[in-house]
């Protein structure tokens, strides 16, 4: 197990180094580049030359990359072009919102997806299976932004079950300790704030969870069907083992490997879905920050930090997925 962890961590380091090199080259080849983004309408040749020297862009490319890596390793991503605040602070305000939304979406997707996929496989060809397969096909086909606006129109404007936007109601935003509003309400014992944060979280989480839920259901169903046809399942049934033992210890556990892989990939893909979901519900997380940084002010320091954070999250999630293989299937530890 230790060997697996060390090997994966080394791969993580190599991947991040390669990614920083790509970001370094990408930023310097974008139309206009960081210099024009910083100067804006004041981009005269004289000002460009002065800023180029101030930022060290006149130095050899390897020297520039070395300084770029040094700043990243020390957590210095510079200041936002749009607000002037340190990039770390900008990310610190937006990151908890997206993580809270993504966690809620994955709890819904995994909590419903695995049981529904398993039940659909156990009742293959019956009404439950047909309804589940049809619902998952519909869930994958509907674009997130359309589903978000549909749910928002029906459940917030017509029925008034949920708030239309935002993370918390006005007057209940004074419990911000960690940035995770549900957790903050519990830490400060402001249970009204916790309930309010959950009330705001439910609809965006359902919207964001739709596609991962559909994918997890279909992968679980296919994986369980494959395991049910294996010889060791027939042997266990012939030995007279209880159905609960066969389903829990043999069927579900052996079917989980592809499901866990899917969960890891879908967790990384949630960042892409969060851009649309946060825009619909005015959530104010990383998705909103990405949109504003690209379309608004060409905020290159924020963009490079966002790319690195997204890549790091994706790599860490997949590292956890790889480690979970050894827990689920002992044969992985042997190999």
């Amino acid at each position: 197990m230790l060997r697996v962890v060390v090997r994966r961590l080394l791969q993580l380091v190599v991947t991040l180094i390669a990614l920083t090199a790509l970001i370094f080259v990408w930023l310097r080849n974008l139309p206009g580049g960081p210099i024009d983004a910083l100067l804006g309408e004041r981009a005269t040749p004289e000002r460009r030359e002065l800023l180029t020297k101030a930022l060290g862009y006149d130095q050899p490319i390897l020297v520039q990359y070395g300084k770029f890596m040094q700043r990243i390793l020390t957590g210095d991503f510079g200041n936002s072009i749009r607000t002037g605040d340190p990039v770390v602070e900008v990310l610190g305000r937006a990151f908890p919102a997206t993580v809270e939304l993504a966690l809620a979406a994955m709890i819904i997707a995994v909590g419903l997806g695995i049981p529904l996929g398993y039940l659909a496989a156990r009742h293959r060809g019956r009404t439950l299976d047909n309804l589940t397969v049809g619902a998952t096909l519909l869930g994958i086909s509907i674009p997130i932004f359309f589903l978000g606006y549909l749910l928002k129109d029906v459940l917030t404007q017509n029925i008034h079950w949920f708030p239309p936007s935002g993370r918390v109601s006005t007057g209940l935003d004074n419990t911000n300790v960690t940035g995770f509003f549900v957790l903050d309400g519990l830490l400060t014992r402001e249970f009204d704030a916790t309930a309010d944060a959950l009330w705001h979280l439910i609809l965006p989480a359902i919207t964001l969870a739709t596609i991962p839920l559909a994918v997890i259901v279909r992968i679980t169903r296919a994986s369980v069907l494959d395991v049910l046809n294996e010889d060791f399942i027939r042997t266990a049934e012939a030995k007279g083992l209880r159905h609960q033992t066969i389903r829990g210890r043999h069927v579900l556990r052996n079917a989980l490997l592809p499901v866990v892989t899917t969960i890891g990939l879908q967790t990384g893909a949630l960042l892409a879905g969060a851009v649309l979901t946060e825009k619909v519900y005015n959530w104010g997380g990383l998705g909103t920050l990405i949109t504003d940084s690209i379309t608004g002010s060409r905020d290159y320091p924020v963009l490079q930090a966002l790319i690195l954070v997204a890549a790091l999250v994706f790599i860490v999630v997949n590292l956890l997925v790889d480690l979970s293989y050894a827990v689920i299937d002992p044969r992985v530890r042997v190999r």
Side-chain angles (χ1 to χ4, degrees), residues 293-307:
S293 299
I294 293 175
T295 60
S297 56
R298 292 187 298 176
D299 203 338
Y300 295 126
V302 173
L303 278 177
Q304 73 177 17
L306 283 169
I307 294 170

Side-chain angles (χ1 to χ4, degrees), residues 119-130:
L119 290 174
R122 293 291 299 178
H123 299 84
R124 181 181 183 183
R126 302 178 188 174
T127 303
L128 177 62
D129 182 32
N130 294 331

Side-chain angles (χ1 to χ4, degrees), residues 20-321:
T20 56
L22 289 174
I23 293 174
F24 176 80
V25 174
W26 173 69
L27 285 175
R28 281 153 180 76
N29 287 277
L30 284 175
I35 299 296
D36 286 343
L38 286 168
L39 292 176
E41 296 179 355
R42 302 170 299 168
T44 63
E46 294 78 11
R47 290 179 180 271
R48 286 176 55 85
E49 184 178 356
L50 287 174
L51 189 56
T52 299
K53 291 181 179 179
L55 295 177
Y57 287 176
D58 59 334
Q59 298 178 356
I61 193 71
L62 291 179
V63 174
Q64 293 184 44
Y65 180 67
K67 292 182 177 180
F68 175 74
M69 286 296 297
Q70 184 180 7
R71 289 194 300 272
I72 288 178
L73 293 175
T74 57
D76 180 13
F77 293 97
N79 294 333
S80 169
I81 296 174
R82 186 164 56 93
T83 64
D85 296 332
V87 172
V88 174
E89 293 183 7
V90 175
L91 291 182
R93 291 193 293 265
F95 188 72
T98 298
V99 172
E100 188 174 59
L101 177 59
L103 282 177
M106 285 311 299
I107 289 172
I108 294 172
V110 175
L112 293 178
I114 293 178
L116 283 175
Y118 177 79
L119 290 174
R122 293 291 299 178
H123 299 84
R124 181 181 183 183
R126 302 178 188 174
T127 303
L128 177 62
D129 182 32
N130 294 331
L131 288 175
T132 302
V133 172
T136 56
L137 181 60
L138 184 64
I140 294 174
S141 304
I142 297 178
I144 285 182
F145 70 90
F146 174 75
L147 178 63
Y149 281 118
L150 180 64
L151 293 178
K152 188 175 178 179
D153 181 63
V154 174
L155 298 180
T156 67
Q157 297 180 7
N158 294 337
I159 306 181
H160 305 291
W161 282 0
F162 299 99
S165 62
R167 297 182 62 198
V168 68
S169 299
T170 304
L172 290 176
D173 55 356
N174 57 347
T175 58
N176 191 351
V177 178
T178 65
F180 300 92
F181 286 176
V182 175
L183 177 62
D184 288 344
L186 296 174
L187 293 176
T188 58
R189 297 184 180 275
E190 296 286 345
F191 300 116
D192 289 342
T194 300
D196 183 73
L198 285 171
W199 187 42
H200 284 76
L201 180 61
I202 290 174
L203 205 56
I206 291 174
T207 303
L208 187 58
T210 304
I211 292 179
L213 171 60
V215 173
I216 291 172
V217 168
R218 295 179 75 89
I219 295 297
T220 303
R221 177 183 179 274
S223 183
V224 169
L225 287 175
D226 287 342
V227 173
L228 287 174
N229 293 323
E230 294 288 343
D231 291 337
F232 67 86
I233 297 298
R234 288 190 285 269
T235 302
E237 291 174 345
K239 287 182 177 180
L241 292 179
R242 295 185 305 168
H243 288 296
Q244 292 85 348
T245 302
I246 296 174
R247 289 196 294 265
R249 183 177 300 176
H250 298 291
V251 176
L252 192 56
R253 187 168 185 177
N254 283 278
L256 277 180
L257 284 183
V259 177
V260 170
T261 303
T262 302
I263 292 172
L265 294 174
Q266 289 299 313
T267 301
L270 283 181
L271 291 175
V275 175
L276 298 174
T277 304
E278 290 181 9
K279 203 67 177 176
V280 172
Y281 293 99
N282 192 26
W283 194 251
L286 294 180
T288 305
L289 189 59
I290 290 172
T291 305
D292 293 341
S293 299
I294 293 175
T295 60
S297 56
R298 292 187 298 176
D299 203 338
Y300 295 126
V302 173
L303 278 177
Q304 73 177 17
L306 283 169
I307 294 170
L308 285 173
V309 168
L312 184 61
V313 169
F314 194 85
I315 291 171
V316 170
V317 168
N318 281 275
L319 172 64
L320 295 177
V321 167

Side-chain angles (χ1 to χ4, degrees), residues 4-38:
V4 173
V5 174
V6 172
R7 187 164 62 247
R8 292 293 185 270
L9 288 176
L10 290 176
Q11 291 175 354
L12 184 151
V13 171
V14 172
T15 303
L16 287 178
I17 291 174
L19 182 64
T20 56
L22 289 174
I23 293 174
F24 176 80
V25 174
W26 173 69
L27 285 175
R28 281 153 180 76
N29 287 277
L30 284 175
I35 299 296
D36 286 343
L38 286 168

